[in-house]
Amino acid sequence: DEGVIGKALWELSIDTLSKTAWQTLRQQLEWRAIFRDLEVRCADRAGEMRYLSISGEPIFDDRDQFKGYRGITRDVTARKLSEAAVQESNRYARTILDGLGAAIAVLDHAGFVLSVNQAWRALAMRHAGSAEGGGGANYLVGFDNACSDEHVDGMAIAAGIRQVIAGERALFRHDYACDSPSGWRWFALSISGTASDDAARAIVSCEDISERKRAELLLDLERTVLRCLAGAGTAGSALQSVIRAVCESQGWN
């Protein structure tokens, strides 16, 4: 194109490079350094935006005198548009995930967390006192290391997660209780496998069902108290039966 003959790169109608990037490129050229895959954007004759990848290396004559740069320019518009479409799709998916009320995490083949949504981070902050459990953490470790009253639940959940990741089952569900800074809480856990070819292997959905569980326990207690009252022969025995039922429901001695 006659419009580019005799002009330096920074004199052409191309952009996407910052002032610092242009300064770095000019320094490389002054040092006669090789540059590769310099991506720029420009408009073609039809006014359509195109993305170009430019590479160049210095050439010298027999006396080792610098003669200029020789290189190639590739049109990478299709790749750049494809990358932009993927990024937009990822942003759209992130918006959807963050809009869900359920806490969601994505696990890889080893149980490491690839990503979480806003509800997951809020759940971790509310019940663990921190936002731990985000990207990079291993979700299986906590269940593998569960102790005392949580050990049985931990073993069951860890086994279920591994089965889903291995493709041995499509879905695993489990309700469990755990101690937290705010007291005992109940959670409904759902693990489903993925059919994607990327790193994601399982989707974890975790919902705090403590209020529902407490309502169910209270209803069970009310029924037990009614049975105690109905089956007691005297007021004293009825009172003893009710006290025993209340203590058992709360785990008291």
Side-chain angles (χ1 to χ4, degrees):
D1 192 320
E2 294 181 357
V4 302
I5 300 299
K7 293 184 178 180
L9 285 175
W10 48 89
E11 296 174 333
L12 302 177
S13 299
I14 56 180
D15 60 11
T16 69
L17 289 182
S18 65
K19 182 179 179 180
T20 301
W22 277 122
Q23 291 175 344
T24 300
L25 175 63
R26 295 182 71 161
Q27 187 66 66
Q28 286 180 305
L29 297 180
E30 290 178 6
W31 290 342
R32 312 306 185 217
I34 296 175
F35 66 93
R36 302 190 187 281
D37 298 320
L38 172 69
E39 293 189 355
V40 297
R41 181 178 60 188
C42 64
D44 61 16
R45 293 180 179 178
E48 297 291 334
M49 195 61 64
R50 313 297 297 180
Y51 292 87
L52 306 176
S53 175
I54 305 173
S55 298
E57 60 180 30
I59 54 176
F60 302 89
D61 60 18
D62 295 339
R63 297 182 179 180
D64 203 28
Q65 296 295 312
F66 174 68
K67 301 293 292 182
Y69 269 86
R70 173 177 56 201
I72 59 173
T73 299
R74 295 181 295 114
D75 188 326
V76 294
T77 304
R79 175 175 63 80
K80 295 294 288 186
L81 293 179
S82 176
E83 291 175 353
V86 170
Q87 292 176 356
E88 181 62 26
S89 176
N90 289 340
R91 282 195 294 268
Y92 182 64
R94 169 57 59 185
T95 299
I96 293 176
L97 283 176
D98 284 341
L100 296 175
I104 304 294
V106 181
L107 308 183
D108 69 4
H109 69 282
F112 283 94
V113 178
L114 298 176
S115 64
V116 299
N117 68 348
Q118 183 60 39
W120 185 282
R121 289 188 288 270
L123 185 68
M125 180 62 69
R126 188 162 59 249
H127 299 304
S130 72
E132 291 184 0
N138 192 302
Y139 189 62
L140 281 168
V141 169
F143 295 115
D144 283 334
N145 297 336
C147 57
S148 64
D149 295 337
E150 302 174 16
H151 182 61
V152 174
D153 279 326
M155 291 180 60
I157 293 171
I161 293 174
R162 289 189 170 94
Q163 289 173 350
V164 170
I165 290 176
E168 298 173 2
R169 63 189 302 171
L171 179 65
F172 171 77
R173 288 194 178 99
H174 190 83
D175 292 354
Y176 69 99
C178 69
D179 198 6
S180 73
S182 60
W184 280 92
R185 310 292 297 186
W186 286 263
F187 298 92
L189 191 69
S190 176
I191 317 289
S192 58
T194 66
S196 62
D197 294 329
D198 56 17
R201 288 294 179 269
I203 307 297
V204 180
S205 174
C206 188
E207 182 182 0
D208 188 332
I209 57 171
S210 300
E211 297 305 319
R212 190 189 79 194
K213 275 292 187 182
R214 290 194 180 97
E216 292 174 353
L217 292 173
L218 181 59
L219 182 59
D220 288 341
L221 178 58
E222 289 176 351
R223 291 170 178 167
T224 301
V225 168
L226 289 175
R227 287 195 297 268
C228 291
L229 295 176
T234 65
S237 62
L239 180 59
Q240 289 182 348
S241 297
V242 170
I243 292 175
R244 183 181 299 109
V246 171
C247 292
E248 289 176 350
S249 69
Q250 299 300 316
W252 298 338
N253 186 350

